[in-house]
Amino acid sequence: MVDQGYVCRGCGQRHEGLPFSYGAEAPAYWHDDLVSDERSVLEDETCIIQAQHYFVRARLVIPVLDADENFEWGVWVSLSRDSFGRVLDLWTTQGREREPGYFGWLSTQLPVYPTETLNLKTDVHTGPVGTRPHVVLEPTDHPLAAEQRSGITTERVREIAEMLLHP
């Protein structure tokens, strides 16, 4: 077993274990004023804002080249009303993973990238019942898309931990 503890360059302390996932609690467009809006709802896996914008929580998986596990961003993706309805219709349907992907826009700002991650084009793929959908980014030169295509190392996972846990 590889020691995944690290000495943080942010705080100078040794941390045991290296987090391989981080997630957003809500889409970037959600704000506290929407709690009292009867046309808006934030649930664990879905979100609707003012009965006009529809979101699902998903996983953006990045291979870690020198580890036995992948890195995951827990993200939100906006879908069209029709796609959102279809996802909900199939939420508990066995075999839903055979559905084609749904076009969506990444709706989570990931602060460890030098350029904006909001509104990157995605394909959202449903998995077996009980699993979150997963996101495949459009293959562009954006650093996040490049990492998803090419993978990262545990050193990059450490950098992400340092940036997020000790900014």
Side-chain angles (χ1 to χ4, degrees):
M1 174 95 180
V2 176
D3 175 25
Q4 291 185 341
Y6 65 102
V7 176
C8 179
R9 290 179 284 243
C11 70
Q13 300 295 310
R14 178 169 173 75
H15 297 284
E16 298 305 322
L18 187 59
F20 275 72
S21 67
Y22 298 91
E25 295 298 317
Y29 308 104
W30 181 264
H31 51 85
D32 290 340
D33 294 346
L34 293 170
V35 171
S36 59
D37 181 347
E38 63 188 33
R39 300 167 304 146
S40 301
V41 61
L42 174 63
E43 296 178 335
D44 289 340
E45 305 298 325
T46 60
C47 178
I48 300 171
I49 295 179
Q50 297 180 324
Q52 295 178 3
H53 307 284
Y54 306 90
F55 306 88
V56 294
R57 191 183 287 223
R59 303 170 10 246
L60 194 155
V61 178
I62 299 174
V64 181
L65 304 172
D66 57 348
D68 292 333
E69 63 184 302
N70 291 323
F71 182 86
E72 288 191 18
W73 288 111
V75 297
W76 290 84
V77 180
S78 68
L79 297 174
S80 70
R81 180 185 178 104
D82 289 345
S83 293
F84 183 78
R86 181 75 177 156
V87 167
L88 292 183
D89 287 347
L90 298 174
W91 199 259
T92 59
T93 302
Q94 297 297 322
R96 69 182 190 169
E97 64 272 18
R98 291 187 295 271
E99 267 298 282
Y102 304 96
F103 175 80
W105 298 98
L106 190 64
S107 299
T108 301
Q109 177 59 36
L110 302 174
V112 302
Y113 294 96
T115 53
E116 181 93 17
T117 58
L118 284 177
N119 296 319
L120 292 175
K121 293 178 181 179
T122 71
D123 247 349
V124 180
H125 298 270
T126 52
V129 172
T131 63
R132 279 194 177 133
H134 69 275
V135 172
V136 177
L137 293 173
E138 178 183 56
T140 65
D141 62 353
H142 189 283
L144 177 58
E147 286 183 349
Q148 188 177 43
R149 274 192 318 277
S150 303
I152 60 176
T153 63
T154 53
E155 180 56 31
R156 174 68 173 139
V157 176
R158 283 185 186 93
E159 289 172 7
I160 291 169
E162 290 170 348
M163 287 187 265
L164 292 178
L165 301 176
H166 299 286

